[in-house]
Amino acid sequence: MQTPTELWREINRLMQLGQWTEVERLSSELCHSLSTVPPEWVNELGVSLARHGRLTLAEQLYRKLVEFYPNYAAGYGNLGLVLRRLGRTDEAVYSFLRALQLDPNFVEALNNLALLLRDMGRLQEAVQYLERAVQIRPNQAVLHANLAQIYRALNRHEHAVRHFRHALTAQPGHLDICLSLSLSLLALGEEAEAENWARHATILAPGSADSWNTLGTILSSMGRYREALDCFNQALQMEPQHHLAHLNRGLVFLLERNWERGWEDYEHRVYLRPLEWQRFAQPRWQGEALSGKTILLVAEQGIGDIVQFVRYAAVLRQQGAHVLLECPKNLVPLLSRTIGVERCYARGESLPGCNFYSPLLSILRYLGCPPENISAPVPYIAADPNLVASWQSKLAQYSGLRVGIAWQGNPNYPNDWQRSVPLNMFRSLAKIAGVTLISLQKGPGEEQLAKCDFEVADLGPERDAAQGAFMDTAAIVQHLDLVICTDSAIAHLAGALGRPIWLLLGYVCDWRWGTTGETTFWYP
């Protein structure tokens, strides 16, 4: 009969040979001898089994281990890793937490639990565990890098930059950290340093498509479009199917009104989220005749994108199509009032049969002519007449020129720093005799009203709460003489309603507004 030491060595030898039936038999035999085997041996065996993909056997081994050694933190930590790979996330979380109960300074468990919580979308919790880990091991680069990436996902870029710098102190030539640091610096508006780090990355890895794509992204954000195109082309020479480089190049082409090449590259956004589109059994529409056919338009990206491009439902209806729309649930009341849309479905709702589906922002690629030449009706969204009547009486108290204002877009948008402004920038307009400023701001940015030192009418928190997103706002806009706002969903809503609007744009702005002129063909 083999001793436990001989048994352990034999199992390791058989694993190298891939003789898994014998490995399983001997592992079971080893589990019956745990009282004579150091827990470190069993732990190491479990690591080897997991490394070879034998996750179920590794789980069984670890469960026996922690049953026999209930205070062995490393066993719970590695059991958590195996359970995570098996997709049993709740059990994995429990296992990591049990390891940390036994050893609060177990850095590997802190890190692995944080990464699991990150993948589960529980970012704030993940930050707390990694902050503990870096306090225990302040010089471990991977901990700072992981923490920085989570801060970056939370758009807390000041913290991200600090931890990326810590990580680079220990690993100065780490490519991914250099690239991530450059993008966080860009989000903070530190363009020059962002460019320096991105260029450093191209020197570290001149053959890396990611390096050239990141440098191109930064140069594009600085308005240096020709240089940016060179970088995106360089990335695509190295990796022809680099979808993000295609998408970024497409955005520059669209900005320059190079529609054909722009739409072709812009299509690569679809490949970045393949699961989103695999749920449709119907073929994608690619310009086929639609007379008598039913097409499902699938809303995508932000609310402003959806409101802008839903206009093409009317164009497809003119071609004889029956047009259905799938969109976020909170937008169904508003978008159900779109010209050309026969019925609007909430995301997740059962969908009817159709002949084709299309991502909403892909329609223009297949309509076959520049968007400025396509006759789409404006207004193409109607406000609810009952709400219009209700708000008429509520707004009657505001005399003179009624100007609706909005200053803050979605703060999670990567380039929000280039488009949002503080409320106090409207102070000079408030001083004009006969002008009443009326806030259309909802959500982030609304808190600035409390500290505002000039008169802005606040219509209350109940706006858009009962009827659906933007339903009250659409009715309010009908009673305004003018809307002035930054590049956000409010701008597209006012445009879709055919109302007068002035749009505040940075020198570098979104592709749809172009680089010249004081008007846009998208809206009259």
Side-chain angles (χ1 to χ4, degrees):
M1 183 175 178
Q2 291 177 308
T3 66
T5 302
E6 292 169 339
L7 197 58
W8 181 77
R9 288 173 178 167
E10 181 65 6
I11 292 171
N12 278 281
R13 186 184 71 82
L14 292 170
M15 272 197 294
Q16 300 302 320
L17 297 173
Q19 296 182 15
W20 296 107
T21 302
E22 276 298 290
V23 168
E24 188 168 351
R25 184 183 68 80
L26 294 178
S27 295
S28 178
E29 186 177 326
L30 183 68
C31 286
H32 293 300
S33 308
L34 287 179
S35 61
T36 61
V37 180
E40 293 79 13
W41 289 15
V42 184
N43 187 49
E44 186 178 333
L45 177 58
V47 170
S48 297
L49 288 168
R51 189 179 297 123
H52 284 84
R54 314 301 290 193
L55 299 178
T56 302
L57 185 55
E59 180 196 354
Q60 293 170 358
L61 193 69
Y62 281 125
R63 289 202 183 278
K64 284 287 185 181
L65 176 63
V66 297
E67 181 183 337
F68 199 85
Y69 293 103
N71 295 321
Y72 187 52
Y76 281 104
N78 282 324
L79 175 60
L81 285 173
V82 169
L83 291 169
R84 180 187 179 188
R85 288 180 62 185
L86 287 168
R88 288 150 57 188
T89 53
D90 290 339
E91 293 177 72
V93 168
Y94 171 81
S95 192
F96 288 133
L97 289 173
R98 178 64 181 137
L100 290 169
Q101 280 181 334
L102 295 168
D103 181 1
N105 293 328
F106 190 174
V107 169
E108 288 74 18
L110 289 167
N111 181 59
N112 290 326
L113 175 57
L115 296 180
L116 176 59
L117 292 170
R118 175 203 63 189
D119 294 345
M120 297 170 70
R122 295 160 60 177
L123 300 181
Q124 295 289 359
E125 293 173 78
V127 162
Q128 295 173 18
Y129 289 107
L130 272 171
E131 285 284 9
R132 277 172 56 189
V134 298
Q135 287 175 7
I136 297 165
R137 289 192 197 160
N139 297 320
Q140 190 163 333
V142 67
L143 299 177
H144 284 286
N146 289 341
L147 180 55
Q149 294 289 10
I150 296 174
Y151 273 130
R152 186 170 163 234
L154 287 166
N155 286 311
R156 296 169 65 181
H157 293 285
E158 299 91 342
H159 297 285
V161 166
R162 185 173 75 251
H163 287 286
F164 281 135
R165 292 194 197 281
H166 274 297
L168 284 170
T169 299
Q171 293 187 7
H174 195 291
L175 179 65
D176 289 341
I177 298 175
C178 289
L179 295 175
S180 296
L181 172 60
S182 68
L183 291 171
S184 277
L185 287 165
L186 179 65
L188 293 172
E190 302 291 341
E191 295 171 321
E193 190 179 1
E195 180 186 353
N196 289 339
W197 278 108
R199 289 197 181 279
H200 180 60
T202 64
I203 295 169
L204 286 174
S208 164
D210 286 342
S211 298
W212 290 103
N213 176 63
T214 300
L215 178 57
T217 300
I218 291 165
L219 293 171
S220 181
S221 293
M222 297 168 73
R224 291 156 60 182
Y225 301 115
R226 290 289 98 193
E227 294 175 75
L229 278 178
D230 290 341
C231 290
F232 297 138
N233 287 332
Q234 184 83 1
L236 291 168
Q237 281 183 3
M238 296 162 181
E239 191 178 326
Q241 289 305 308
H242 195 291
H243 298 308
L244 197 53
H246 273 291
L247 174 59
N248 287 329
R249 186 176 69 174
L251 293 173
V252 177
F253 285 145
L254 292 174
L255 182 77
E256 295 178 339
R257 303 294 185 249
N258 187 344
W259 300 117
E260 185 174 354
R261 296 194 67 183
W263 295 130
E264 182 181 353
D265 271 344
Y266 193 59
E267 200 64 23
H268 282 259
R269 77 194 187 284
V270 173
Y271 306 130
L272 291 169
R273 298 177 62 193
L275 295 179
E276 168 73 16
W277 312 107
Q278 289 175 7
R279 59 193 176 98
F280 298 104
Q282 301 88 350
R284 268 193 60 181
W285 181 66
Q286 296 181 340
E288 294 89 345
L290 288 173
S291 181
K293 305 290 186 181
T294 299
I295 183 170
L296 173 70
L297 305 182
V298 183
E300 52 172 323
Q301 304 192 58
I303 295 174
D305 301 280
I306 297 169
V307 171
Q308 178 184 3
F309 281 84
V310 77
R311 74 182 66 207
Y312 296 110
V315 176
L316 299 180
R317 184 70 190 95
Q318 291 166 7
Q319 295 182 4
H322 300 283
V323 183
L324 311 176
L325 175 68
E326 183 199 62
C327 68
K329 183 177 181 179
N330 65 334
L331 290 177
V332 168
L334 177 71
L335 298 180
S336 293
R337 309 184 63 82
T338 302
I339 294 176
V341 173
E342 291 190 10
R343 183 170 174 185
C344 201
Y345 295 85
R347 179 70 185 269
E349 189 178 354
S350 296
L351 297 170
C354 60
N355 300 103
F356 302 100
Y357 83 93
S358 176
L360 187 60
L361 273 67
S362 291
I363 297 173
L364 267 176
R365 182 185 184 194
Y366 298 109
L367 284 177
C369 61
E372 58 264 43
N373 295 343
I374 297 174
S375 177
V378 179
Y380 54 89
I381 292 178
D384 184 314
N386 293 324
L387 290 175
V388 171
S390 174
W391 279 103
Q392 183 175 19
S393 59
K394 295 177 183 177
L395 293 168
Q397 61 182 300
Y398 303 112
S399 59
L401 193 73
R402 295 190 288 216
V403 179
I405 61 172
W407 52 92
Q408 171 73 58
N410 181 355
N412 292 323
Y413 178 68
N415 291 332
D416 187 61
W417 65 277
Q418 287 183 320
R419 64 173 189 174
S420 292
V421 300
L423 171 59
N424 61 28
M425 286 190 70
F426 289 86
R427 181 182 288 105
S428 59
L429 298 185
K431 295 178 180 178
I432 299 174
V435 168
T436 298
L437 299 185
I438 298 173
S439 171
L440 299 177
Q441 191 68 38
K442 184 82 172 175
E446 198 173 6
E447 73 284 349
Q448 296 178 39
L449 286 166
K451 299 179 180 179
C452 185
D453 60 0
F454 54 92
E455 194 68 29
V456 179
D458 183 357
L459 302 180
E462 71 281 356
R463 174 169 48 95
D464 294 331
Q467 302 297 325
F470 294 101
M471 289 293 287
D472 286 308
T473 299
I476 292 165
V477 167
Q478 297 289 3
H479 297 294
L480 302 179
D481 299 290
L482 178 65
V483 173
I484 304 176
C485 71
T486 54
D487 184 3
S488 63
I490 292 286
H492 293 285
L493 177 65
L497 293 165
R499 302 299 299 155
I501 176 165
W502 293 354
L503 187 61
L504 297 168
L505 294 175
Y507 173 72
V508 176
C509 61
D510 192 78
W511 64 267
R512 68 204 74 209
W513 309 121
T515 56
T516 59
E518 296 185 356
T519 60
T520 172
F521 63 82
W522 295 108
Y523 303 104

